[in-house]
Amino acid sequence: MPSNAARRAPSRPSSDRPYMAETQFSLRIPNRPKAVRRALVEICGRTDASGSGPDTVGRIEITLAEVLNNVVEHALRHEEEGEIHLTATRKNDGWHFDIRDGGVAMPGGIVPHPDLPGNNCPLENLPEGGFGWAIVNTLARDLHYRRRAGGNHLTFVIPEH
Amino acid sequence: MPSNAARRAPSRPSSDRPYMAETQFSLRIPNRPKAVRRALVEICGRTDASGSGPDTVGRIEITLAEVLNNVVEHALRHEEEGEIHLTATRKNDGWHFDIRDGGVAMPGGIVPHPDLPGNNCPLENLPEGGFGWAIVNTLARDLHYRRRAGGNHLTFVIPEH
Amino acid sequence: MNLSRHETADACVISVNETRIDAAVAIQFKDRMRDKTEDAGARIVLDLGQVEFIDSSGLGAIVAAMKQLGPDRRLDLVALNPNVDKVFRLTRMDSVFRIFDTLEDAGAL
Amino acid sequence: MNLSRHETADACVISVNETRIDAAVAIQFKDRMRDKTEDAGARIVLDLGQVEFIDSSGLGAIVAAMKQLGPDRRLDLVALNPNVDKVFRLTRMDSVFRIFDTLEDAGAL
Ligand SMILES: Nc1ncnc2c1ncn2[C@@H]1O[C@H](COP(=O)(O)OP(=O)(O)O)[C@@H](O)[C@H]1O
Ligand SMILES: Nc1ncnc2c1ncn2[C@@H]1O[C@H](COP(=O)(O)OP(=O)(O)O)[C@@H](O)[C@H]1O
């Protein structure tokens, strides 16, 4: 839990303070696509306000959309209730995300690392999905998954360049 | 490919021919729940006609329902078209199934081996799904999965007791 | 998805007039159960005597049907044929419901 | 999911009057595209100028919209903002569509 001073960190590092102070926020996101949408808008607002540039904010939004929609569509797909807990922490190397849900385990117990669906095929065979984890694997660093106490726990970093 | 003689194997082993002759059939199943249903009815008819008892036919129907519905709901979920190819072969130890689809890979590249969802919980948290692979793992033997040439290939045996 | 309903002295009996509750009809089953039980009393008995097959989606729909009754009403099951019973046992959902062989055993004649 | 349509000399232009095409509206988008393009000619241009975000479900819905046009009609894309463009590039779907910066570049003014 960061101190209040850390929470009020200035949004951009100044030249005499090369290490950015930690900024952190948490959200609880209900198990519905519309709630994921609202959470993404909120997160973009906060990461932008803390001084991250549009490219970083864009990569955060794309990555989190895939991760959170996967939880709703897969981990919690048989549940009517359920919440996703998200914590975002800005560190020197980028934004660290910690995402937990109480849904079914990732099949195989690891983060899927699918190939991108092929696009070199006749029109009628073009893929309409299956892109999610391929996108996440491309944009996120230090992607870790653990199953613990009947829930899923995913952590990763979106680097800031 | 079995010979014609083998295909006309009598339905029950006689005492002087302890090894059952091979019986085999193949189906192509369109990527729709209703088509899976029709295929199951067909398969029950055939395995019953070849002399398997109701307990075996029941285990075949339950297992194939989970496997085939998973293909429709997951592997082919982003495809409007697509077919599942199924071959069933009766051997001495039971029914051998060979199931192929051209859909996305199993996450993690292996057959999921989830725990049964817990039922020791308040009413509102009772699981409404996630039972499929747990059922298959219980009823099938020699369950093997391979990814090859842009498709999935699953084989397993339903033993006859 | 044809469901019919009749009342007995102390239960509302829903009969499933179908041979299969599977992935093709699971959502429909759940919705029809909601309609049929909306104004039902505290005890609902689901008669599965005509059902020859359920898969895990059908099982999930029966669990969902019970959940949508809320905490103050209960759903009991009657007349599971051997294949249906097997699916409840394999998934340990047999311990979540009270299961009776006949409507008479269930006290719902 | 608000889509509007107008005709130019040699294209039918569909404008997406929404800021997001995401998992919450992907199926709706695909259905509305079917309605809007049913009687359209051989070239449809999708103007994404107002769209600030798509996720992989939205992308899939755009691919599905093209597929449902059949082999004799084409779907071109116009005015992808940087975030939308990024999703097309990451998934290599940028090579499946012709993508133009402006309606003028697309010859659909
Ligand atoms: N959070 C999750 N929990 C459980 N399973 C998941 C989760 N995310 C993805 N999966 C499984 O991994 C597969 C690949 O996911 P993804 O690449 O996002 O494609 P899709 O577009 O099908 O969601 C999914 O089809 C699903 O079977
Ligand atoms: N044939 C398949 N291809 C790809 N992914 C699959 C397949 N079957 C199952 N999965 C993944 O494994 C998970 C567990 O499957 P299962 O035990 O049948 O539960 P469910 O009721 O969710 O289908 C699914 O949610 C899905 O993510």
Side-chain angles (χ1 to χ4, degrees):
Chain A
M1 177 57 75
S3 71
N4 272 345
R7 283 181 186 251
R8 277 184 273 107
S11 56
R12 296 189 189 273
S14 60
S15 53
D16 58 345
R17 204 177 43 76
Y19 294 96
M20 202 169 300
E22 205 170 277
T23 308
Q24 189 175 67
F25 60 87
S26 295
L27 297 176
R28 294 162 155 247
I29 307 161
N31 174 26
R32 288 189 302 279
K34 284 263 164 69
V36 168
R37 176 193 279 196
R38 269 193 299 273
L40 293 173
V41 171
E42 169 86 18
I43 291 163
C44 287
R46 294 210 190 204
T47 51
D48 172 70
S50 82
S52 294
D55 178 65
T56 301
V57 174
R59 283 180 288 112
I60 288 172
E61 184 169 21
I62 293 168
T63 308
L64 286 179
E66 300 308 326
V67 167
L68 298 175
N69 282 322
N70 270 343
V71 174
V72 172
E73 289 172 22
H74 301 295
L76 297 174
R77 86 180 181 108
H78 299 295
E79 286 180 44
E80 252 133 280
E81 308 292 317
E83 266 182 354
I84 310 168
H85 292 223
L86 176 149
T87 298
T89 310
R90 194 182 192 193
K91 296 192 180 175
N92 196 45
D93 58 343
W95 283 92
H96 291 233
F97 291 95
D98 179 298
I99 292 165
R100 293 163 201 245
D101 66 73
V104 299
M106 207 77 81
I110 57 163
V111 169
H113 206 312
D115 294 335
L116 264 183
N119 60 11
N120 192 5
C121 58
L123 176 79
E124 69 266 27
N125 296 339
L126 280 175
E128 295 174 27
F131 306 108
W133 280 107
I135 293 175
V136 174
N137 281 292
T138 306
L139 295 179
R141 301 274 171 280
D142 299 332
L143 190 53
H144 291 294
Y145 169 78
R146 319 164 193 66
R147 178 77 182 169
R148 63 148 86 129
N152 301 306
H153 183 191
L154 189 76
T155 53
F156 57 88
V157 178
I158 300 296
E160 293 199 76
H161 305 298
Chain B
M1 178 57 76
S3 72
N4 272 346
R7 282 180 188 252
R8 277 185 275 106
S11 57
R12 294 190 191 272
S14 61
S15 54
D16 58 344
R17 202 177 45 73
Y19 292 97
M20 201 170 300
E22 205 169 277
T23 308
Q24 189 175 66
F25 60 87
S26 294
L27 297 177
R28 294 163 154 247
I29 306 160
N31 174 26
R32 288 190 300 280
K34 285 261 164 69
V36 168
R37 177 194 279 196
R38 270 193 298 273
L40 293 172
V41 171
E42 170 84 20
I43 291 162
C44 288
R46 295 210 189 204
T47 50
D48 172 69
S50 83
S52 293
D55 179 65
T56 301
V57 174
R59 282 180 288 112
I60 288 173
E61 184 169 21
I62 292 168
T63 307
L64 285 178
E66 299 309 325
V67 167
L68 298 174
N69 283 323
N70 269 343
V71 174
V72 171
E73 288 173 22
H74 301 295
L76 297 174
R77 85 180 183 109
H78 300 296
E79 286 180 45
E80 252 131 278
E81 307 292 317
E83 266 181 355
I84 310 168
H85 292 224
L86 176 148
T87 298
T89 310
R90 193 182 192 193
K91 297 192 180 173
N92 195 46
D93 58 342
W95 283 91
H96 291 233
F97 291 95
D98 179 298
I99 292 166
R100 292 163 203 248
D101 67 73
V104 300
M106 207 77 83
I110 56 162
V111 169
H113 207 313
D115 293 334
L116 265 183
N119 61 10
N120 192 3
C121 57
L123 176 79
E124 69 267 27
N125 295 339
L126 279 175
E128 295 173 26
F131 306 109
W133 280 108
I135 292 175
V136 175
N137 281 294
T138 306
L139 295 180
R141 301 273 172 279
D142 298 333
L143 189 54
H144 290 294
Y145 169 78
R146 317 162 194 67
R147 179 77 184 169
R148 64 147 84 132
N152 301 306
H153 184 191
L154 189 76
T155 54
F156 56 89
V157 178
I158 300 295
E160 293 199 75
H161 305 297
Chain C
M1 181 46 62
N2 183 332
L3 304 183
S4 60
R5 170 176 163 176
H6 73 270
E7 312 292 325
T8 67
D10 48 22
C12 158
V13 178
I14 310 278
S15 303
V16 182
N17 304 314
E18 303 279 346
T19 57
R20 303 177 77 87
I21 309 176
D22 62 14
V25 295
I27 291 172
Q28 219 188 322
F29 172 81
K30 185 180 149 184
D31 291 346
R32 300 281 294 111
M33 279 294 284
R34 192 196 301 266
D35 299 345
K36 281 280 178 208
T37 57
E38 216 163 25
D39 62 346
R43 185 174 183 217
I44 291 113
V45 174
L46 186 66
D47 181 352
L48 293 168
Q50 294 170 71
V51 178
E52 292 160 15
F53 181 73
I54 67 167
D55 61 15
S56 69
S57 302
L59 173 71
I62 294 174
V63 175
M66 175 173 65
K67 286 162 73 173
Q68 70 196 0
L69 291 174
D72 298 330
R73 299 191 291 169
R74 68 180 303 152
L75 183 68
D76 293 340
L77 306 181
V78 159
L80 276 56
N81 92 18
N83 254 336
V84 172
D85 190 58
K86 200 174 285 176
V87 170
F88 276 86
R89 281 180 206 290
L90 279 168
T91 56
R92 295 198 212 113
M93 286 295 123
D94 55 335
S95 68
V96 164
F97 295 89
R98 291 204 306 177
I99 300 179
F100 300 95
D101 284 346
T102 63
L103 283 172
E104 189 175 3
D105 291 348
L109 260 198
Chain D
M1 178 48 60
N2 183 333
L3 304 182
S4 60
R5 170 178 163 174
H6 72 272
E7 312 293 324
T8 69
D10 47 22
C12 159
V13 179
I14 310 279
S15 303
V16 182
N17 304 315
E18 301 280 346
T19 57
R20 304 177 77 89
I21 310 177
D22 62 14
V25 295
I27 290 171
Q28 219 189 321
F29 172 80
K30 185 180 149 184
D31 291 346
R32 299 282 293 113
M33 279 293 284
R34 191 195 303 264
D35 299 344
K36 280 280 176 206
T37 58
E38 215 162 25
D39 63 347
R43 184 173 183 219
I44 291 112
V45 174
L46 186 66
D47 182 351
L48 293 169
Q50 294 170 71
V51 177
E52 291 159 16
F53 181 73
I54 66 167
D55 61 16
S56 68
S57 302
L59 174 71
I62 294 174
V63 175
M66 176 173 64
K67 287 164 71 173
Q68 71 196 2
L69 291 174
D72 300 329
R73 299 192 292 171
R74 68 179 304 150
L75 184 68
D76 294 340
L77 306 181
V78 159
L80 277 57
N81 93 18
N83 255 335
V84 173
D85 190 59
K86 198 173 286 175
V87 170
F88 276 85
R89 281 177 207 290
L90 280 168
T91 57
R92 295 198 211 112
M93 286 294 123
D94 55 336
S95 67
V96 164
F97 296 90
R98 292 203 307 176
I99 300 180
F100 301 95
D101 283 347
T102 64
L103 283 172
E104 188 173 5
D105 292 347
L109 257 197

